[in-house]
Amino acid sequence: MTFASLGLAVAAVAGVAAPILIHFFLRRKHQPVEWAAMALLKRALERTARTRRFDQWILLVVRCILVLAAGLAIAGPLLRKSSEQEFAVQSQVRERAIVLDDGVAQQVVRGGTTAWEDARKRAIGVIDRCAPGDRVGILRGVGSRAMVWPPSGDLDAVRSELMLAEASLEGSDVVAAARSASEGGRDVIILSDFRAGSIGSDRSKESAPTTGRRAAAVLYEPQSDQPLNVQALAVETRSSGPLPSRDLHPLRVRLQRDGTSLPRSTSTIEVRTDGGPPSTLRLDWDAGQMLAQVDGTITASMGAQQTDLAVEAKIMESDGQPADNAVYGVVSGAGSIRVLLVDRALPEQSDKQEDTAATWMMRALTPVEGTDITVDATDPAALDAARLRGVRAVMLLRPDSMDAAGWNVLAQAVREGLVVWVFAPANRSITWSADFQRAFALGWVIDRARPKPGRAAADDPSDRRIEAGQTPSPLLSQLGAELDTLLQPVVVSESLSVRVPANTGEVVLSLSDGSPLLVHAQPTDCRGCVLLMSTAMVTDWTSLPTKPLMVPLVQEVLRQSLARVERATVERIGSTVNMPGAIALEPTLSLSASGLPEAKVIPLDADGKAAQPLQVPGVYRAVDARGRRIAWLVANVDLRSASVRPTSSGEVVTLFDRVDAIIPDPPTVERAIAAAPGVPVERGGETELPVAAALDGVSLAPWLFAAAILALLAESALARRASAGATSSALRGVEP
Amino acid sequence: MAETPTTPLRAEQYLAPETLAQLAPFELRAKRIAEGLMNGMHVSPRKGSATDFASHRQYVSGDSIRHVDWKVFARSDKLQVKQFQQETNLNVVVLVDGSASMQFGTLKTKSGWGGTKAQRGRIVWTKYDHATAIAAAISFLALRQRDQVGLGIFADGIRSGVRRSGSNDHWRSVVRCLAADPVESAVAWERVADQAVSQNPHHTLFIIISDFLAPPAVIQSALSRLGHRGHDVILVTVLDHAERTFNMDVDAAFVGLEGEPQLEVETRKIRAAYLAELEKHLNDMDRIARSFRFDLEVFDSHESVGPILSSLLARREAILRRRIRG
């Protein structure tokens, strides 16, 4: 039996205590009445003592029954053992669809088991109670994918399929799956905790077609608990100065907490790479703190050509949602930064003793021996993809000497993460600007500025200085308060005219006349970035190479730009990979956990597309036909899909066309709520479910009301029974 | 102020308690009762002369020589005294229960009515009121018919009374005595009986007006003292209407008027049992009365006094005839 209002039923049972309490504790204080025939009265009391006591007990029992029957009748009792059993007792052969939520949100742990395991047990229970001849189909919540579809009458096979089913780390959308399952008017049983991650987006709701015949849906009541959950948001490169060891690599792990209460606690994060021992980081949470980050280093030996590290950061403490405790990333290996200097007059090849732009740049990049920056040089005409292997930044001092092929090579490298820093050539040529525009499509307008030959820059009163913005660019944030002091002595006497339309780039430094001096941009679909210095690194153009600003400016802009480079393509579990040029994805680091499939090589078709969505979190190498890595792919759990935030029955019902019953958890105490299709009752700003009899259940309310009325009549009769005696015949009145 | 009826009343009307209650002062009330009753009687048993000869008896010392029948003395040389009918009239002693239980009453009266006792601040017509009205009326009637009437008000004994007399102004003494309030004690029946016997050695008609709520065995013991001495007794049981019907719908704590312990009672639940007990009690009383050849009349204090007085008069006539016959 179930109740439309379980609270009222409980109240009715509790209400039985009222007549008992009244009977024993609230006896009325009687008014005194003087009487003469006390002896008769006393004998009458003695004579009726047993009867009155018996009557009182009967009366008490009847009153308890009255309260209980009335309360239970109001609570809306329904004669149905359970929804699963109700399905089983139907004599008519029916076709039913089970939507089994196997999404990552179902990995939430409650009571020592996961919601997924509970849902699977319930699904087996539904099948066990099906009548012979019934047909059952099962759709997964993840992608509405078929587990058993179309519905099958071989219930043993369906049960076996369920027993073998494994959970997924993909995001699910039970609403879309229910709509798919209900096509054809099937009854749908949705087995889900209805956490926020399982409901899916509103878009799926709108796009899902509504069937002509609205299907009956039975939901289990959404879970209301929200366990404490610590999520690993990201592991990323951390910019730092030179480290004592070339094998140490700085990184940063960002975490987030969610839950009903956020106590003071400690999280231990194990960081693992594919090339070295794991290291452990600790984070102390303050009470109520939701976001935090922890910095550390990891030790890994890197080859000469290796620039990146695949990293896994995993929270070691168990929490309410273990599926989002690990995050993967590719961080920049800090062993060395290879910079390629592209200039026609390379320092060692130049016969002249004067300082060229390349000379100044070499001094800025390697001011002392033993730094982590390695500088190579090449002629613009010799620049090709091979020369760029292992190179993380290109300093292009002679863009005017680049041909179209060279620009194409650079453009391709920028797409894969190269940092290209272009300087204005000292010969004042701007012919290269067209190729520059074509290669990176930034929309900048580069023009020639009026030169001032033969004059010392500092002597010209019209020479411009560098303006320090009120808020320094993030690229220069490490220089902090010293930036103004460093900028002050720098004079720029000549520069190209560069106009940067809005939203096409960031002006890092500008001159006193407002024209940009240093511009940064990340071209569309590129993981690398492009920097443009509008003046040449020669003293005829600017005094910058000779000033103290030169070294920190070049070092900081280069390092911060490299830190910004996305080192890998990041995808969510459940998405379909598309990596043109690659033939396969090879797992480098991957999550291994019980219930999860082992990470395998994912083959890609000729267009670079995978046949199956990503299922196992980890770092994958996208390799081409020759087995070379052409890109990193990082697959992480979608944190929105993993959200275990609880939802209310009202929220859930609004997502469906029609909900016939919401079964509370545990299902042994059930109630049925029939909601008008798509039209929940709005009252006081909150959605309220109208209570009604179950569509297929037998309401016991009329019987209980009848019992209550009978009890009421019995109570009246019993209460007045004692006064029904006849007047003594000997006392018949004497007429006046 | 008492309200005096301005229009003539039928006997039944002003023998009703409501009417009696309006008849103040007390003497007027009793006269109206008796007159109403007399007017209702068509034939008076005392229409003949009070000096009619009845029989002779032997002269004893102290007899008035006026009643010596000298003709008989002349014929037989024996002193015989003539006896007349007047001299065969009854000695009537009315005994009124003045105990605490007689203070009970439920008939409400208006302010200024003639109830004698206020119960909890309300003027009510009590059983004692009813008993005194009956006693006064009986006395009045008896005196009018030249009976000798005595009165006793008893509780734990005969506490007050009027000696037996047949004088014309004796009735006022009876009424004054009846105007006294009842006492707070219970009835000591055997003691009252002993006192009554000792005060009335000659054959007497005792009219005992009480609620007789004592145990029947006690009452039987008391009545046996009267019966064994050859007295005639009429038992007039006065009960309040509430006592007779117990038709109340209250849950109350009943407090005895004679000091009995309090009883918590739900009247609806014990009504039947109470009525059964009352019926049993009255049956016992009736059985006791019959065993002594006494008469028992049950009287409701909310009802008319006429029938009971008629019954009493008829009873008196029967006794007289029995004596005359010898």
Side-chain angles (χ1 to χ4, degrees), chain A residues 360-680:
Chain A
W360 291 117
M361 196 55 65
M362 285 288 287
R363 289 173 182 164
L365 289 171
T366 54
V368 294
E369 290 291 331
T371 66
D372 58 343
I373 296 179
T374 305
V375 181
D376 293 331
T378 186
D379 188 86
L383 185 65
D384 56 13
R387 296 283 293 177
L388 290 178
R389 189 163 301 141
V391 173
R392 298 178 59 189
V394 169
M395 312 294 274
L396 186 55
L397 302 176
R398 292 294 303 273
D400 56 308
S401 301
M402 291 281 291
D403 55 13
W407 284 109
N408 289 336
V409 168
L410 286 179
Q412 178 62 33
V414 169
R415 274 194 285 276
E416 295 172 4
L418 185 70
V419 173
V420 175
W421 193 344
V422 181
F423 293 83
N427 61 8
R428 302 180 180 84
S429 167
I430 61 168
T431 55
W432 55 274
S433 65
D435 292 331
F436 175 81
Q437 293 285 8
R438 195 163 36 248
F440 302 113
L442 293 171
W444 299 346
V445 179
I446 302 172
D447 202 357
R448 182 179 298 144
R450 188 168 59 86
K452 299 175 180 177
R455 300 179 61 179
D459 296 336
D460 189 342
S462 64
D463 287 342
R464 296 159 295 176
R465 295 184 182 276
I466 304 175
E467 290 288 321
Q470 291 184 344
T471 304
S473 163
L475 294 178
L476 300 175
S477 60
Q478 291 287 326
L479 299 180
E482 297 178 1
L483 182 61
D484 287 345
T485 307
L486 293 170
L487 289 174
Q488 195 171 11
V490 178
V491 173
V492 177
S493 55
E494 191 170 351
S495 65
L496 297 178
S497 170
V498 179
R499 191 160 56 85
V500 181
N503 301 322
T504 59
E506 175 197 4
V507 177
V508 180
L509 292 172
S510 60
L511 298 174
S512 55
D513 62 358
S515 59
L517 176 66
L518 177 62
V519 186
H520 172 271
Q522 185 171 21
T524 307
D525 296 331
C526 293
R527 301 206 309 272
C529 64
V530 176
L531 292 146
L532 175 63
M533 182 71 94
S534 63
T535 187
M537 290 294 103
V538 292
T539 53
D540 289 348
W541 286 56
T542 176
S543 63
L544 173 62
T546 63
K547 300 301 180 186
L549 175 65
M550 180 64 177
V551 173
L553 175 68
V554 171
Q555 292 272 341
E556 194 60 27
V557 168
L558 180 63
R559 290 179 188 276
Q560 294 296 338
S561 297
L562 288 171
R564 284 189 177 192
V565 168
E566 295 174 5
R567 316 225 46 94
T569 299
V570 179
E571 295 285 358
R572 293 180 299 181
I573 293 298
S575 60
T576 304
V577 176
N578 183 11
M579 301 199 77
I583 63 163
L585 297 174
E586 297 175 350
T588 302
L589 270 179
S590 63
L591 184 66
S592 61
S594 61
L596 274 182
E598 188 180 348
K600 297 175 181 174
V601 175
I602 301 171
L604 304 178
D605 62 13
D607 297 328
K609 291 183 179 177
Q612 295 289 331
L614 284 169
Q615 294 183 354
V616 183
V619 181
Y620 296 82
R621 297 183 331 132
V623 296
D624 60 12
R626 290 188 289 178
R628 296 180 306 177
R629 176 180 63 82
I630 61 171
W632 291 106
L633 183 132
V634 173
N636 279 322
V637 168
D638 180 15
L639 296 182
R640 280 207 319 174
S641 298
S643 172
V644 294
R645 183 179 65 82
T647 54
S648 68
S649 299
E651 286 179 85
V652 173
V653 167
T654 56
L655 299 173
F656 295 93
D657 294 334
R658 165 179 159 188
V659 174
D660 290 336
I662 296 181
I663 304 171
D665 190 27
T668 49
V669 184
E670 297 178 356
R671 60 180 170 139
I673 298 175
V679 188

Side-chain angles (χ1 to χ4, degrees), chain A residues 23 28-49 51-53 55-57 59 63 715-736, chain B residues 12 16 101 104 119-120 127 211 213 239 242-246 248-249 251-258 260-279 281-283 298 300 303-304 307:
Chain A
H23 182 81
R28 194 170 46 185
K29 298 292 182 185
H30 296 150
Q31 292 293 322
V33 171
E34 288 185 341
W35 189 254
M38 292 297 284
L40 301 179
L41 210 54
K42 187 178 179 184
R43 287 203 294 273
L45 285 173
E46 290 168 355
R47 188 170 171 171
T48 59
T51 309
R52 283 185 294 113
R53 199 174 301 121
D55 284 351
Q56 283 177 347
W57 281 110
L59 200 57
R63 284 170 176 165
E715 195 272 345
S716 301
L718 285 170
R720 297 192 174 276
R721 191 168 69 94
S723 65
T727 305
S728 166
S729 59
L731 300 176
R732 293 271 150 74
V734 179
E735 294 300 328
Chain B
E12 291 80 3
S101 67
F104 181 74
Q119 186 184 39
R120 292 193 171 277
K127 293 189 288 187
D211 53 12
L213 289 176
L239 292 174
E243 288 176 325
R244 293 188 65 196
T245 62
F246 207 61
M248 295 177 286
D249 191 6
D251 296 343
F254 282 71
V255 181
L257 293 168
E258 295 180 352
E260 298 94 335
Q262 176 176 300
L263 297 174
E264 299 280 341
V265 175
E266 294 174 79
T267 56
R268 288 186 308 159
K269 294 183 177 175
I270 68 157
R271 182 169 182 259
Y274 173 85
L275 293 177
E277 287 295 329
L278 178 60
E279 185 169 13
H281 178 77
L282 293 176
N283 287 338
V298 179
D300 190 327
E303 296 174 351
S304 169

Side-chain angles (χ1 to χ4, degrees), chain A residues 219-273:
Chain A
L219 319 176
Y220 278 79
E221 188 172 42
Q223 295 294 313
S224 58
D225 63 305
Q226 186 177 13
L228 177 64
N229 182 29
V230 185
Q231 297 176 315
L233 294 180
V235 54
E236 56 197 17
T237 304
R238 178 171 63 94
S239 173
S240 74
L243 293 171
S245 167
R246 294 174 62 87
D247 292 338
L248 283 179
H249 310 285
L251 49 79
R252 170 173 293 164
V253 180
R254 290 193 287 119
L255 305 176
Q256 175 175 291
R257 283 200 308 176
D258 199 4
T260 309
S261 64
L262 301 174
R264 179 187 293 272
S265 63
T266 300
S267 291
T268 307
I269 305 107
E270 184 184 82
V271 183
R272 192 164 63 97
T273 73

Side-chain angles (χ1 to χ4, degrees), chain A residues 290-337:
Chain A
M290 296 180 67
L291 290 169
Q293 61 186 27
V294 56
D295 294 338
T297 57
I298 188 165
T299 304
S301 298
M302 300 181 65
Q305 303 294 318
Q306 190 175 353
T307 60
D308 304 316
L309 280 175
V311 183
E312 175 198 64
K314 187 174 184 179
I315 300 165
M316 302 308 291
E317 288 80 14
S318 59
D319 59 7
Q321 171 57 296
D324 57 9
N325 283 5
V327 66
Y328 293 86
V330 175
V331 300
S332 169
S336 66
I337 300 174

Side-chain angles (χ1 to χ4, degrees), chain A residues 87-109:
Chain A
F87 273 98
V89 299
Q90 299 283 338
S91 57
Q92 181 185 0
V93 174
R94 303 184 69 173
E95 186 171 277
R96 297 182 184 99
I98 298 173
V99 171
L100 184 60
D101 185 1
D102 59 344
V104 63
Q106 289 285 93
Q107 294 295 317
V108 60
V109 178

